[in-house]
Amino acid sequence: MNQDMAEPILQMDKTSKSFGGVQALRDVSFDVFPGDVLGIIGPNGSGKTTIVNCITGFVKPTSGRVYFKGEDITGRQPHKVADLGVTRTFQIMRPYYSLPAYKNLVIPLFSPRAKRTGGWRGGGRLGNRQTIAIDILEEIGFERDSYIPFKKTSTLPTGYLKRLELARCLALKPEIIICDEVFSGLSMSEIASMVPLIQRLQDEGITIVMIEHRLRELFQVANRVMVLNFGQKLTEGTPTEVMADEKVKEAYFGSEEVEEVMIYA
Amino acid sequence: MSTQKLRKERIDRGIKVRSDGLYALMSLRELSYLTLPRFVLIAGMLSLPFLMPDMYWQRVISIVCIYAILALSFDFLAHYVGLVSLGGAFFIGTGGYVAGILNSYYGIPPVLTVPLAAIIGGAICTLMLLPCLPLKGVYFAIVTLMYPLFMARIIEAFDLFGGTDGLAGIDSFSSAFAEQYLVICTVLIFLFGLRRFVTTDMGLIFTAVMDNDQAVKASGINITKYKALAVFIASSAGCMAGACLTHIYMWSGISQFALDFSILPIAATVIGGAGTLAGPVLGCFILVPVSELLRDFGTLRIVFYASVLVGFILFRSDGIMVFMQRKYEQFERWTKI
């Protein structure tokens, strides 16, 4: 929160990424401080997901560096980045469809990091993974009484799958969660129940980076917002500053009378 | 023509429901319902050497079991790890040659060569397949199909280990009995071991790698390590089968890299039921003896054999095992719609 006090936990330094002739990112730099909720917004195709992929090692940046707690993690393999506690969710959910929901969490709980840290709540000790998995799921909103944790993942509605994505990160006892559009595809009431969850994670000291299109809900939780357009950083600031920025309005709507639209967005 | 429409309804048998979970401990009837299929399989396999009339059919048993181990390893890799491997012949050949070399060059007795071949052969196969592990689906299948061809040609070209003549004069097992029980027990151990293993937490990782490898990476798990482990398990099973084959025929040669060893296990898996582990074993017990019985027909054998396969794929594509399991656990009745 207090940017003068703290060292940035995550730093992106002049990172570029091009896929063939398409330049997805162009010299993007930003810092994330411990306890932050940083929102990244931008029109479709502006390179938001590429940022996530560059940080978590799913793609290698063409140039530039990524630092986690001052350590260079550029181009490290995804599992090594996750092992440091930099976790992500996927925009298109990637659960293990053939397993019941709670067994989805056995996999992150089996990772070296979870063994070291003991999972989300664990103090370094890991008990029965399936029991812990059900506890984590219940805590993030799977109703144990209606046997939802035991249902096959392929039968669950989107809202639960999004939570399952978050739960996979939490099982690793993360330092940072990078949420790639956790609100998209959810109904209004599902989003409404998701917002307190994000706030709770923030209270627990987890740094959160949120990529989002749902601006209204994002601005409820984010303390800083970065705007991307065509792979370039447009601006960065508090939600109110960003809302007022002319460049942002132009990037999103290309017109002037946008104020009402943004309010109803 | 009747306009009345009927639908087949399947309902779990009462005893199946009663034997789920802890309730199975309530009575002997439920307990025996659960253990009967396993008991029939184990008792049936162990009594096979006594039931077979002559030496010829006893030898067939051994060959069936060798194919069954291969089919198990194929089913495990394909349906629990997601690596479709056509490398059965590669595993058999490597295991066969390792056992042959250990026995004829170093004089190690079969009791030791079989487990050693499983470990050394498994390590060799895993190391050689290591570069192919990032591949998926049909690409992995093609590469694994190349390996046995490649190995056979290398041995031929460089005249290694006896070249095209192979290694002759390898010790056989001490008796036909020992030979049969070794392969039968190996099948049973691998079958029940793998069935248990795939439900453990580590086994779940393999299923997860098959379902969605990106998510496993994002969970901080090195998928290459687990894929290599799975290949090691499967290939050491195959190599063990190959070592048994070498000692049964007292010979190891490049015909152990024949593609039969890659193809037949897949056919057996299709017939028996993919992803059931017990199914492929069952499939081998049908396919191999059928192919022996059809020997009298000469080359027509392949025609019959192929028709059986096509029939199964068309009419019972889920496999015998799945079919039998359904009959055992559920009853069917016609209901009006």
Side-chain angles (χ1 to χ4, degrees), chain B residues 276-293:
Chain B
T276 55
L277 292 178
V281 175
L282 204 68
C284 286
F285 271 90
I286 294 167
L287 274 185
V288 180
V290 164
S291 125
E292 290 299 324
L293 285 172

Side-chain angles (χ1 to χ4, degrees), chain A residues 28 38 56 58 65 77 103-104 130 134 167 172 188 204 254:
Chain A
V28 175
L38 172 71
T56 51
F58 281 83
R65 305 269 95 186
Q77 283 176 296
K103 286 197 178 172
N104 269 258
Q130 310 205 345
I134 295 171
L172 290 173
M188 290 312 281
E204 286 185 21

Side-chain angles (χ1 to χ4, degrees), chain B residues 17-27 30-31 34:
Chain B
V17 179
R18 284 201 303 281
S19 16
D20 271 352
L22 265 183
Y23 302 110
L25 298 174
M26 281 196 304
S27 81
E30 273 80 14
L31 273 177
L34 277 183

Side-chain angles (χ1 to χ4, degrees), chain B residues 142-179:
Chain B
I142 291 170
V143 173
T144 47
L145 185 64
M146 299 316 293
Y147 271 92
L149 305 172
F150 168 78
M151 294 295 277
R153 293 292 92 80
I154 282 190
I155 288 172
E156 198 182 330
F158 293 96
D159 211 19
L160 298 167
F161 316 125
T164 43
D165 294 336
L167 296 164
I170 292 166
D171 295 343
S172 68
F173 291 111
S174 53
S175 68
F177 231 56
E179 165 197 317

